[in-house]
């Protein structure tokens, strides 16, 4: 992966985390155990600190950045969908941020909440735990059910297994020129990681 130090600060990646080789890490970035960082994600710790806590994932083409002296945090089991932008905000424990959402400086998304796809969360926004946050500008629409929160955590567990599957099985290769007969299908639900402590 492209990884750069700046002003003497080097990114830190736990050995149980998976960072795709096309993701970019710059400066004050800390990626905790069991995290997944997808292709083309950009985590720029060149002003403020970028922190992914245990089991968090940030998917393809996401951007994390912040102003000087700020922390941009995805707490434990946070789940950030494709194309989202997080800038100087805190994504709480077990939060889902939908695809192409933007969460701005000083915003705090409380634990077990969902930010809908394409939402725009203004600077300084906050919500109560287990909130559904939607719109542009985003507002709290309702309280999530326990079933919705459990559904989200199950999806996050799939990404935690994906991180281990990528560490164990993903290798760069050349494409085939044609589809082989009886091509198998991926069975990610059948995967059992070597380390199931997460």
């Amino acid at each position: 992966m492209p990884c750069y130090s700046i002003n003497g600060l080097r990114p830190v990646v736990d050995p149980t985390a998976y960072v795709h080789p096309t993701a970019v890490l710059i400066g004050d970035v800390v990626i905790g155990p069991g995290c997944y960082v997808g292709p083309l994600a950009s985590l720029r710790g060149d002003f403020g600190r970028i922190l992914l806590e245990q089991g968090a994932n940030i998917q393809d083409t996401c951007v994390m950045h912040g102003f000087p002296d700020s922390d941009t945090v995805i707490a434990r089991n946070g789940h950030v969908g494709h194309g989202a932008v997080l800038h100087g905000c805190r994504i709480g424990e077990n939060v889902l941020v939908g695809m192409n959402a933007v969460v701005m400086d000083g915003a705090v998304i409380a634990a077990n909440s969902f930010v809908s796809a394409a939402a725009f969360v203004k600077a300084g926004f906050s919500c109560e735990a287990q909130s559904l946050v939607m719109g542009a500008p985003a507002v709290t629409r309702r309280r999530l059910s326990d079933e919705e929160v459990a559904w989200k955590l199950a999806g996050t567990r799939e990404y935690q297994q994906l991180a281990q599957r990528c560490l164990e099985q993903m290798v760069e290769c050349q494409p085939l020129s044609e589809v082989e007969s009886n091509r198998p299908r991926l069975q990610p639900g059948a995967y059992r990681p070597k380390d199931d402590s997460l």
Side-chain angles (χ1 to χ4, degrees):
M1 86 202 81
C3 186
Y4 304 92
S5 69
I6 188 166
N7 297 98
L9 278 172
R10 295 172 56 184
V12 177
V13 178
D14 186 276
T16 63
Y18 176 77
V19 179
H20 191 274
T22 62
V24 178
L25 308 181
I26 300 171
D28 195 2
V29 175
V30 180
I31 298 175
C35 291
Y36 173 88
V37 177
L40 303 173
S42 176
L43 284 66
R44 285 183 49 206
D46 48 12
F47 289 134
R49 176 166 293 164
I50 307 298
L51 177 61
L52 274 66
E53 295 181 358
Q54 181 174 356
N57 72 76
I58 185 162
Q59 298 170 20
D60 320 50
T61 71
C62 289
V63 174
M64 291 183 73
H65 194 237
F67 289 128
D69 300 321
S70 69
D71 289 354
T72 306
V73 178
I74 305 173
R76 180 183 171 105
N77 295 329
H79 188 106
V80 179
H82 316 288
V85 177
L86 308 179
H87 202 278
C89 58
R90 179 171 179 83
I91 305 303
E93 184 168 340
N94 199 38
V95 164
L96 169 67
V97 176
M99 293 180 245
N100 291 313
V102 175
V103 185
M104 294 299 293
D105 301 276
V108 177
I109 308 300
N112 299 314
S113 295
F114 294 1
V115 175
S116 71
F120 179 76
V121 179
K122 292 169 65 172
F125 176 90
S126 64
C127 62
E128 295 182 5
Q130 215 158 319
S131 293
L132 175 62
V133 176
M134 300 177 70
V139 296
T140 300
R141 293 294 173 98
R142 64 175 174 83
R143 181 175 170 80
L144 294 169
S145 69
D146 292 342
E147 292 77 17
E148 289 169 314
V149 173
W151 167 84
K152 179 267 165 206
L153 186 55
T156 300
R157 296 284 187 229
E158 290 291 329
Y159 267 88
Q160 291 165 350
Q161 287 189 3
L162 178 61
Q164 290 191 355
R165 191 159 48 107
C166 289
L167 286 170
E168 294 170 14
Q169 300 175 6
M170 187 180 287
V171 294
E172 190 170 358
C173 66
Q174 293 297 313
L176 300 172
S177 59
E178 60 184 53
V179 177
E180 62 269 60
S181 63
N182 298 318
R183 182 177 176 90
R185 296 191 69 89
L186 287 172
Q187 301 294 324
Y191 170 75
R192 295 293 174 257
K194 291 178 182 175
D195 176 8
D196 61 358
S197 63
L198 294 176

